[in-house]
């Protein structure tokens, strides 16, 4: 048993069902998916990869990209998805840390990877073509799935590091299967559902939350290569589900064609990866007659809480703990808080990850003595057990659904010629939720904001690059010398 075989409990029953349909009209049945993943799994084995070895993938969204991930599960390999926006320095760290036995990337990035490392590399483009597909086509379409335990490693997801060093969250086959089964049941996903999938495939939302429960149910997925509000609205009449980040809903509300008639066939709208503004929640209900279901999760655990499918969905909350997941909120003295009192969110359950890759000390630090994981988020309960996220520890910024830790950006900015020091904050943004904003002290008054932003774009992912860089003579500090980011947020958040 492994996560792949768990997701496919009755292959004969689903063989002729459509698994994925693309924007160009290509259709892949569940039988096609099984054959394609078998060919890729056979190819991976032929390259000398053994259970537990890592496969890194920085590829554009395509059915073949998803087949690669599922093939890794079948072969017992550890899948390492990388954001397509990552640049050279980031990639060098990830590859050096994870030491994958294979890298799969877009054809135009093969030369870059050749400079970074000597790992074997295959290509895969946005149309699903490349050396990976070519070589897989020569392999048998049957594969004996690897027998893996629930505690065996399945995926490493790199999360931004508060000290500038990213951490690899190790997710097991048991983590993936428990969360998938829970979500399928809790959101009542069935074989006749059709998911409009407009998310990327390189993080937990698009790859796990929006895929695993659908496969488990034998349902259908329509792949949209990227989010486009008008394209989503054109396709919604053929769907029953949409999963998105708050930015999706904010942008859809700007479309004049968003009406109750346009979404009358939708069974469920789900939002996550960033806080959903109450204004967006209320506007969506008023405009469409649907109430968005907001949930809460993280790379280290998958989904933790969810507003109910049947029951009241409360705006401004992320709902109730999912079945099998325990959540507690603790004060500074390590005692549970009362109703309406904020504290640190800690979790326990079969969905919680196995620790950080090659960081045993960090892993130990992030778990309590009684083995609860400290999420780093701050929350509070209401009288009915609904959880609200009221803050985030360590100044995490969530922009467009992506996590950005200020320290990583500060290190990149401080390394540029002419920059003495910097502070990075998140400011409210109507579209992105938060906009990454930097305040910098420079030695050369001739430095230009646009020049620094252009240099940062060469070193870090575009979503991490500050939208604005403000120049100051000095950063505000308290008596202990710590930069007072609360003052910066107040000054620049106008």
């Amino acid at each position: 048993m492994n996560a792949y075989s768990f997701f496919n409990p009755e292959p004969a029953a689903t063989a002729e069902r459509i698994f994925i349909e693309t924007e160009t009209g290509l259709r892949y049945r569940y039988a096609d998916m099984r054959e394609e993943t078998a060919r890729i799994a056979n190819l991976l084995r032929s390259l000398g990869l053994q259970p537990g070895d890592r496969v890194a993938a920085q590829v554009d969204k395509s059915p073949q990209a998803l087949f690669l991930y599922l093939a890794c599960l079948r072969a017992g390999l550890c899948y390492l998805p990388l954001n397509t926006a990552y640049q050279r320095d980031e990639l060098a760290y990830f590859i050096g840390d994870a030491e994958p036995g294979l890298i799969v990337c877009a054809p135009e990035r093969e030369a870059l990877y050749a400079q970074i490392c000597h790992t074997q590399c295959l290509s895969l483009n946005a149309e699903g073509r490349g050396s990976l597909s070519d070589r897989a086509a020569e392999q048998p379409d049957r594969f004996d799935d690897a027998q893996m335990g629930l505690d065996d490693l399945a995926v490493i997801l790199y999360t931004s590091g508060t000290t500038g060093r990213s951490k690899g969250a190790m997710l097991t086959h048991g983590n993936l299967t428990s969360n998938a089964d829970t979500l399928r049941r809790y959101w009542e996903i069935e074989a006749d559902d059709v998911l409009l999938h407009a998310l990327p495939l390189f993080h937990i939302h698009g790859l796990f939350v929006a895929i695993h429960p659908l496969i488990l149910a034998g349902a259908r997925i329509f792949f949209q290569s990227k989010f486009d509000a008008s394209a989503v609205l054109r396709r919604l009449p053929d769907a029953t589900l949409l999963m998105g980040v708050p930015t999706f809903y904010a942008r859809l509300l700007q479309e004049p064609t968003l009406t109750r008639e346009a979404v009358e066939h939708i069974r469920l709208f789900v939002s996550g990866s960033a806080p959903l503004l109450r204004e967006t929640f209320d506007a969506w209900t008023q405009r469409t007659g649907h109430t968005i279901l907001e949930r809460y999760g993280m790379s280290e655990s998958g989904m933790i809480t969810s507003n109910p499918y049947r029951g009241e969905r409360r705006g401004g909350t992320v709902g109730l703990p999912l079945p099998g997941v325990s959540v507690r909120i603790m004060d500074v003295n390590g005692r549970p808080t009362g109703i309406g009192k904020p504290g640190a969110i800690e979790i326990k359950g079969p969905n919680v990850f196995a620790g950080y890759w090659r960081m045993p000390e960090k892993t130990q630090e992030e778990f309590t003595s009684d083995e609860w994981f400290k999420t780093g988020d701050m929350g509070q309960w209401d009288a009915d057990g609904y959880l609200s996220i009221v803050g985030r520890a360590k100044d995490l910024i969530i922009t467009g659904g992506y996590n950005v830790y200020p320290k990583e950006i500060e290190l990149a900015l401080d390394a540029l010629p002419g920059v003495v020091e910097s502070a990075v904050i998140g400011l409210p943004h109507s579209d992105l939720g938060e906009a990454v904003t930097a305040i910098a002290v420079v030695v050369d008054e001739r430095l230009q904001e646009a020049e620094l932003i252009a240099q940062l774009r060469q070193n870090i992912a575009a979503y991490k690059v500050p939208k604005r860089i403000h120049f100051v003579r000095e950063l505000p500090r308290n008596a202990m010398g710590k930069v007072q980011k609360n003052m910066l947020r107040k000054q620049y958040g106008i």
Side-chain angles (χ1 to χ4, degrees):
M1 172 67 76
N2 59 44
Y4 170 86
S5 54
F6 178 86
F7 298 149
N8 291 271
E10 299 178 348
T14 59
E16 296 306 314
R17 292 180 189 167
I18 299 300
F19 173 46
I20 289 178
E21 182 178 351
T22 71
E23 292 167 299
T24 59
L26 291 175
R27 292 184 174 186
Y28 296 87
R29 302 168 304 153
Y30 273 82
D32 298 325
M33 177 267 284
R34 290 168 188 133
E35 291 177 359
E36 292 297 320
T37 56
R39 290 189 179 98
I40 297 174
N42 279 310
L43 171 62
L44 298 176
R45 284 288 176 84
S46 75
L47 296 174
L49 299 173
Q50 297 298 317
D53 288 344
R54 278 76 60 206
V55 174
Q58 190 187 30
V59 293
D60 292 314
K61 183 177 181 179
S62 69
Q64 286 70 27
L66 178 56
F67 297 159
L68 170 63
Y69 161 61
L70 296 174
C72 287
L73 295 181
R74 296 192 73 170
L77 302 170
C78 174
Y79 187 70
L80 172 61
L82 296 173
N83 191 318
T84 52
Y86 285 151
Q87 298 301 314
R88 182 192 178 97
D89 290 352
E90 296 161 309
L91 296 172
Y93 169 74
F94 297 137
I95 300 304
D97 188 56
E99 295 184 305
L102 172 68
I103 296 168
V104 182
C105 67
E108 62 271 18
R109 290 209 167 213
E110 287 186 281
L112 173 61
Y113 278 102
Q115 297 170 9
I116 292 174
C117 62
H118 298 293
T119 307
Q120 56 185 334
C121 189
L122 295 175
S123 64
L124 187 67
N125 66 16
E127 288 72 44
R129 294 191 291 269
S131 56
L132 175 77
S133 297
D134 292 342
R135 295 182 63 174
E138 302 170 356
Q139 297 291 327
D141 62 4
R142 295 290 184 271
F143 183 80
D144 292 330
D145 294 348
Q147 296 300 305
M148 310 299 290
L150 293 178
D151 295 331
D152 286 331
L153 186 59
V155 178
I156 294 178
L157 292 178
Y158 275 94
T159 65
S160 297
T162 57
T163 61
R165 184 184 178 193
S166 295
K167 307 181 297 293
M170 298 186 293
L171 297 172
T172 67
H173 288 264
N175 295 151
L176 303 185
T177 56
S178 68
N179 221 218
D181 190 43
T182 296
L183 293 179
R184 186 190 69 80
R185 296 173 186 275
Y186 200 72
W187 293 342
E188 300 187 17
I189 297 173
E190 302 294 344
D192 57 357
D193 272 313
V194 180
L195 171 70
L196 179 48
H197 192 298
L199 295 159
L201 285 177
F202 49 69
H203 68 51
I204 195 166
H205 194 169
L207 188 58
F208 298 166
V209 181
I211 296 290
H212 292 167
L214 274 293
I215 299 180
L216 188 55
R220 183 174 176 179
I221 301 171
F222 177 76
F223 256 25
Q224 187 168 311
S225 59
K226 61 182 179 180
F227 177 79
D228 176 88
S230 59
V232 165
L233 281 171
R234 286 195 300 270
R235 192 68 190 191
L236 273 180
D238 300 320
T240 64
L241 299 171
L242 177 67
M243 299 185 191
V245 298
T247 301
F248 283 16
Y249 296 102
R251 292 184 182 177
L252 286 167
L253 284 166
Q254 297 172 11
E255 296 291 318
T257 55
L258 177 66
T259 62
R260 293 193 176 212
E261 292 73 24
V263 298
E264 62 183 356
H265 293 91
I266 298 296
R267 182 174 66 78
L268 180 62
F269 289 102
V270 179
S271 180
S273 295
L276 181 70
L277 294 178
R278 183 58 188 263
E279 298 94 301
T280 305
F281 177 88
D282 291 338
W284 189 267
T285 302
Q286 182 177 7
R287 182 89 164 268
T288 69
H290 287 270
T291 304
I292 295 173
L293 184 152
E294 189 172 9
R295 85 303 184 275
Y296 163 57
M298 59 194 311
S299 297
E300 288 91 340
S301 65
M303 296 304 98
I304 300 167
T305 68
S306 172
N307 272 271
Y309 177 68
R310 298 186 183 276
E312 182 185 359
R313 300 173 196 168
R314 295 188 180 177
T317 82
V318 291
L320 311 162
L322 286 166
V325 182
S326 299
V327 180
R328 68 185 186 187
I329 300 178
M330 309 297 281
D331 64 21
V332 294
N333 298 313
R335 294 190 293 263
T337 62
I339 294 171
K341 295 182 178 179
I345 300 173
E346 298 177 357
I347 61 174
K348 180 184 275 190
N351 57 315
V352 178
F353 76 139
Y356 293 112
W357 173 257
R358 294 177 174 173
M359 289 186 175
E361 297 84 3
K362 185 63 178 176
T363 299
Q364 185 175 11
E365 178 185 327
E366 297 301 324
F367 281 85
T368 65
S369 58
D370 54 349
E371 299 183 341
W372 288 69
F373 175 63
K374 296 180 282 188
T375 67
D377 291 321
M378 306 294 289
Q380 66 184 34
W381 300 114
D382 70 10
D384 297 314
Y386 284 71
L387 176 67
S388 295
I389 308 299
V390 299
R392 296 189 299 275
K394 305 170 185 175
D395 292 326
L396 175 66
I397 299 167
I398 303 182
T399 180
Y402 297 129
N403 292 351
V404 176
Y405 280 93
K407 189 64 177 178
E408 180 183 6
I409 316 307
E410 290 163 0
L411 290 173
L413 186 53
D414 294 350
L416 298 180
V419 178
V420 177
E421 62 175 345
S422 64
V424 172
I425 58 176
L427 296 180
H429 191 280
S430 59
D431 187 31
L432 300 173
E434 288 182 298
V436 180
T437 306
I439 298 88
V441 178
V442 299
V443 294
D444 188 348
E445 294 183 355
R446 294 172 297 178
L447 274 177
Q448 298 293 313
E449 177 186 15
E451 178 185 350
L452 292 180
I453 289 176
Q455 292 183 64
L456 285 174
R457 284 187 178 278
Q458 297 177 19
N459 300 325
I460 59 177
Y463 70 87
K464 300 178 185 178
V465 175
K467 299 298 182 186
R468 290 294 313 275
I469 299 178
H470 302 280
F471 295 139
V472 296
R473 292 186 179 276
E474 61 181 6
L475 297 174
R477 285 182 160 81
N478 61 18
M480 300 300 292
K482 183 178 180 180
V483 174
Q484 294 180 293
K485 290 190 174 181
N486 58 326
M487 293 181 62
L488 295 174
R489 292 188 189 97
K490 183 176 180 180
Q491 179 179 352
Y492 294 98
I494 299 175

PDB file of all heavy atoms in Angstrom, residues 32-47:
ATOM      1  N   ASP A  32      -6.152   5.917 -18.469  1.00  0.00           N
ATOM      2  CA  ASP A  32      -4.999   6.582 -19.077  1.00  0.00           C
ATOM      3  C   ASP A  32      -4.018   7.040 -18.008  1.00  0.00           C
ATOM      4  O   ASP A  32      -2.799   6.908 -18.163  1.00  0.00           O
ATOM      5  CB  ASP A  32      -5.453   7.792 -19.902  1.00  0.00           C
ATOM      6  CG  ASP A  32      -6.365   7.407 -21.055  1.00  0.00           C
ATOM      7  OD1 ASP A  32      -6.159   6.322 -21.632  1.00  0.00           O
ATOM      8  OD2 ASP A  32      -7.280   8.196 -21.368  1.00  0.00           O
ATOM      9  N   MET A  33      -4.563   7.603 -16.938  1.00  0.00           N
ATOM     10  CA  MET A  33      -3.703   8.065 -15.850  1.00  0.00           C
ATOM     11  C   MET A  33      -2.886   6.915 -15.277  1.00  0.00           C
ATOM     12  O   MET A  33      -1.681   7.060 -15.022  1.00  0.00           O
ATOM     13  CB  MET A  33      -4.554   8.709 -14.759  1.00  0.00           C
ATOM     14  CG  MET A  33      -3.772   9.169 -13.534  1.00  0.00           C
ATOM     15  SD  MET A  33      -3.691   7.918 -12.220  1.00  0.00           S
ATOM     16  CE  MET A  33      -5.347   8.048 -11.549  1.00  0.00           C
ATOM     17  N   ARG A  34      -3.521   5.769 -15.106  1.00  0.00           N
ATOM     18  CA  ARG A  34      -2.805   4.626 -14.531  1.00  0.00           C
ATOM     19  C   ARG A  34      -1.716   4.118 -15.467  1.00  0.00           C
ATOM     20  O   ARG A  34      -0.634   3.738 -15.029  1.00  0.00           O
ATOM     21  CB  ARG A  34      -3.801   3.531 -14.176  1.00  0.00           C
ATOM     22  CG  ARG A  34      -4.680   3.925 -12.995  1.00  0.00           C
ATOM     23  CD  ARG A  34      -5.866   3.027 -12.779  1.00  0.00           C
ATOM     24  NE  ARG A  34      -6.736   3.617 -11.753  1.00  0.00           N
ATOM     25  CZ  ARG A  34      -8.047   3.743 -11.845  1.00  0.00           C
ATOM     26  NH1 ARG A  34      -8.672   3.280 -12.920  1.00  0.00           N
ATOM     27  NH2 ARG A  34      -8.738   4.300 -10.878  1.00  0.00           N
ATOM     28  N   GLU A  35      -1.985   4.144 -16.752  1.00  0.00           N
ATOM     29  CA  GLU A  35      -0.975   3.699 -17.708  1.00  0.00           C
ATOM     30  C   GLU A  35       0.191   4.689 -17.784  1.00  0.00           C
ATOM     31  O   GLU A  35       1.356   4.293 -17.820  1.00  0.00           O
ATOM     32  CB  GLU A  35      -1.599   3.508 -19.084  1.00  0.00           C
ATOM     33  CG  GLU A  35      -2.565   2.335 -19.155  1.00  0.00           C
ATOM     34  CD  GLU A  35      -3.225   2.198 -20.512  1.00  0.00           C
ATOM     35  OE1 GLU A  35      -2.927   3.044 -21.388  1.00  0.00           O
ATOM     36  OE2 GLU A  35      -4.028   1.258 -20.701  1.00  0.00           O
ATOM     37  N   GLU A  36      -0.150   5.986 -17.812  1.00  0.00           N
ATOM     38  CA  GLU A  36       0.895   7.007 -17.899  1.00  0.00           C
ATOM     39  C   GLU A  36       1.768   7.019 -16.646  1.00  0.00           C
ATOM     40  O   GLU A  36       2.996   7.148 -16.725  1.00  0.00           O
ATOM     41  CB  GLU A  36       0.269   8.391 -18.111  1.00  0.00           C
ATOM     42  CG  GLU A  36      -0.401   8.579 -19.462  1.00  0.00           C
ATOM     43  CD  GLU A  36       0.591   8.480 -20.604  1.00  0.00           C
ATOM     44  OE1 GLU A  36       1.721   8.995 -20.471  1.00  0.00           O
ATOM     45  OE2 GLU A  36       0.244   7.864 -21.631  1.00  0.00           O
ATOM     46  N   THR A  37       1.159   6.900 -15.489  1.00  0.00           N
ATOM     47  CA  THR A  37       1.961   6.901 -14.256  1.00  0.00           C
ATOM     48  C   THR A  37       2.806   5.641 -14.160  1.00  0.00           C
ATOM     49  O   THR A  37       3.916   5.670 -13.622  1.00  0.00           O
ATOM     50  CB  THR A  37       1.055   7.032 -13.018  1.00  0.00           C
ATOM     51  OG1 THR A  37       0.074   5.989 -13.009  1.00  0.00           O
ATOM     52  CG2 THR A  37       0.348   8.378 -12.997  1.00  0.00           C
ATOM     53  N   ALA A  38       2.310   4.528 -14.702  1.00  0.00           N
ATOM     54  CA  ALA A  38       3.099   3.290 -14.715  1.00  0.00           C
ATOM     55  C   ALA A  38       4.335   3.463 -15.587  1.00  0.00           C
ATOM     56  O   ALA A  38       5.446   3.039 -15.217  1.00  0.00           O
ATOM     57  CB  ALA A  38       2.249   2.127 -15.214  1.00  0.00           C
ATOM     58  N   ARG A  39       4.168   4.075 -16.755  1.00  0.00           N
ATOM     59  CA  ARG A  39       5.311   4.287 -17.644  1.00  0.00           C
ATOM     60  C   ARG A  39       6.364   5.183 -16.982  1.00  0.00           C
ATOM     61  O   ARG A  39       7.569   4.909 -17.057  1.00  0.00           O
ATOM     62  CB  ARG A  39       4.840   4.918 -18.959  1.00  0.00           C
ATOM     63  CG  ARG A  39       4.015   3.992 -19.846  1.00  0.00           C
ATOM     64  CD  ARG A  39       3.777   4.619 -21.202  1.00  0.00           C
ATOM     65  NE  ARG A  39       3.014   3.724 -22.076  1.00  0.00           N
ATOM     66  CZ  ARG A  39       1.703   3.801 -22.266  1.00  0.00           C
ATOM     67  NH1 ARG A  39       1.008   4.763 -21.652  1.00  0.00           N
ATOM     68  NH2 ARG A  39       1.090   2.945 -23.074  1.00  0.00           N
ATOM     69  N   ILE A  40       5.901   6.252 -16.343  1.00  0.00           N
ATOM     70  CA  ILE A  40       6.853   7.156 -15.691  1.00  0.00           C
ATOM     71  C   ILE A  40       7.527   6.462 -14.515  1.00  0.00           C
ATOM     72  O   ILE A  40       8.738   6.597 -14.313  1.00  0.00           O
ATOM     73  CB  ILE A  40       6.161   8.451 -15.239  1.00  0.00           C
ATOM     74  CG1 ILE A  40       5.622   9.212 -16.449  1.00  0.00           C
ATOM     75  CG2 ILE A  40       7.135   9.340 -14.462  1.00  0.00           C
ATOM     76  CD1 ILE A  40       4.802  10.441 -16.096  1.00  0.00           C
ATOM     77  N   ALA A  41       6.764   5.695 -13.741  1.00  0.00           N
ATOM     78  CA  ALA A  41       7.350   4.969 -12.610  1.00  0.00           C
ATOM     79  C   ALA A  41       8.408   3.978 -13.098  1.00  0.00           C
ATOM     80  O   ALA A  41       9.477   3.842 -12.486  1.00  0.00           O
ATOM     81  CB  ALA A  41       6.252   4.246 -11.826  1.00  0.00           C
ATOM     82  N   ASN A  42       8.126   3.289 -14.189  1.00  0.00           N
ATOM     83  CA  ASN A  42       9.121   2.372 -14.761  1.00  0.00           C
ATOM     84  C   ASN A  42      10.367   3.125 -15.217  1.00  0.00           C
ATOM     85  O   ASN A  42      11.498   2.653 -15.030  1.00  0.00           O
ATOM     86  CB  ASN A  42       8.512   1.604 -15.934  1.00  0.00           C
ATOM     87  CG  ASN A  42       7.665   0.422 -15.497  1.00  0.00           C
ATOM     88  OD1 ASN A  42       8.107  -0.387 -14.686  1.00  0.00           O
ATOM     89  ND2 ASN A  42       6.455   0.332 -16.010  1.00  0.00           N
ATOM     90  N   LEU A  43      10.168   4.294 -15.809  1.00  0.00           N
ATOM     91  CA  LEU A  43      11.316   5.103 -16.229  1.00  0.00           C
ATOM     92  C   LEU A  43      12.156   5.517 -15.023  1.00  0.00           C
ATOM     93  O   LEU A  43      13.392   5.410 -15.057  1.00  0.00           O
ATOM     94  CB  LEU A  43      10.826   6.352 -16.975  1.00  0.00           C
ATOM     95  CG  LEU A  43      11.906   7.399 -17.291  1.00  0.00           C
ATOM     96  CD1 LEU A  43      12.979   6.821 -18.204  1.00  0.00           C
ATOM     97  CD2 LEU A  43      11.275   8.640 -17.926  1.00  0.00           C
ATOM     98  N   LEU A  44      11.505   5.965 -13.970  1.00  0.00           N
ATOM     99  CA  LEU A  44      12.234   6.405 -12.773  1.00  0.00           C
ATOM    100  C   LEU A  44      13.062   5.262 -12.198  1.00  0.00           C
ATOM    101  O   LEU A  44      14.217   5.458 -11.794  1.00  0.00           O
ATOM    102  CB  LEU A  44      11.249   6.942 -11.732  1.00  0.00           C
ATOM    103  CG  LEU A  44      10.426   8.166 -12.157  1.00  0.00           C
ATOM    104  CD1 LEU A  44       9.428   8.546 -11.072  1.00  0.00           C
ATOM    105  CD2 LEU A  44      11.331   9.346 -12.487  1.00  0.00           C
ATOM    106  N   ARG A  45      12.497   4.075 -12.180  1.00  0.00           N
ATOM    107  CA  ARG A  45      13.246   2.913 -11.686  1.00  0.00           C
ATOM    108  C   ARG A  45      14.425   2.601 -12.606  1.00  0.00           C
ATOM    109  O   ARG A  45      15.511   2.231 -12.147  1.00  0.00           O
ATOM    110  CB  ARG A  45      12.316   1.710 -11.574  1.00  0.00           C
ATOM    111  CG  ARG A  45      11.401   1.757 -10.368  1.00  0.00           C
ATOM    112  CD  ARG A  45      12.188   1.513  -9.074  1.00  0.00           C
ATOM    113  NE  ARG A  45      11.330   1.643  -7.906  1.00  0.00           N
ATOM    114  CZ  ARG A  45      10.556   0.677  -7.432  1.00  0.00           C
ATOM    115  NH1 ARG A  45      10.517  -0.493  -8.054  1.00  0.00           N
ATOM    116  NH2 ARG A  45       9.823   0.873  -6.357  1.00  0.00           N
ATOM    117  N   SER A  46      14.209   2.750 -13.924  1.00  0.00           N
ATOM    118  CA  SER A  46      15.279   2.442 -14.876  1.00  0.00           C
ATOM    119  C   SER A  46      16.451   3.406 -14.743  1.00  0.00           C
ATOM    120  O   SER A  46      17.575   3.095 -15.151  1.00  0.00           O
ATOM    121  CB  SER A  46      14.744   2.488 -16.310  1.00  0.00           C
ATOM    122  OG  SER A  46      14.534   3.823 -16.748  1.00  0.00           O
ATOM    123  N   LEU A  47      16.197   4.583 -14.156  1.00  0.00           N
ATOM    124  CA  LEU A  47      17.258   5.572 -13.945  1.00  0.00           C
ATOM    125  C   LEU A  47      18.041   5.306 -12.665  1.00  0.00           C
ATOM    126  O   LEU A  47      18.934   6.070 -12.305  1.00  0.00           O
ATOM    127  CB  LEU A  47      16.649   6.978 -13.892  1.00  0.00           C
ATOM    128  CG  LEU A  47      15.982   7.473 -15.190  1.00  0.00           C
ATOM    129  CD1 LEU A  47      15.300   8.813 -14.952  1.00  0.00           C
ATOM    130  CD2 LEU A  47      17.010   7.581 -16.306  1.00  0.00           C
TER     131      LEU A  47
END
